[in-house]
Amino acid sequence: MRFLVNYGSLSLLPTLYLMTPESMHHSLNEASIAFFESSMVVDMKRRTVTLPKICDTFGLDFGEDSLGVLRHLLRYLN
């Protein structure tokens, strides 16, 4: 949820999410998908995935290890 706060940095997504109590769940999911799709790098040739820094900083929020983090993030990818 930290990546939803847009404080004007050029590195952030150019989208603002306006939420109401009724739309909060949908908006959070939409923002999560946009964030992780734009910040993850998958290199099929090297068989590597580079995760955004937020996954390192708040790693335990996403999983106990690298595989757990990837499993958690799969729900935010189309």
Side-chain angles (χ1 to χ4, degrees), residues 15-54:
T15 305
L16 294 175
Y17 292 91
L18 302 176
M19 290 182 252
T20 64
E22 297 79 26
S23 71
M24 186 180 306
H25 183 75
H26 175 76
S27 295
L28 288 172
N29 283 337
E30 187 177 295
S32 298
I33 289 167
F35 175 78
F36 287 113
E37 283 186 346
S38 70
S39 60
M40 290 177 64
V41 177
V42 178
D43 186 332
M44 298 298 283
K45 191 174 186 178
R46 292 184 177 154
R47 299 180 65 176
T48 61
V49 177
T50 303
L51 300 173
K53 183 68 174 167
I54 195 169

Side-chain angles (χ1 to χ4, degrees), residues 47-75:
R47 299 180 65 176
T48 61
V49 177
T50 303
L51 300 173
K53 183 68 174 167
I54 195 169
C55 294
D56 185 39
T57 305
F58 300 97
L60 293 178
D61 292 340
F62 296 102
E64 292 184 21
D65 57 19
S66 297
L67 188 57
V69 171
L70 283 173
R71 283 189 180 128
H72 179 82
L73 295 181
L74 282 175
R75 69 176 133 173

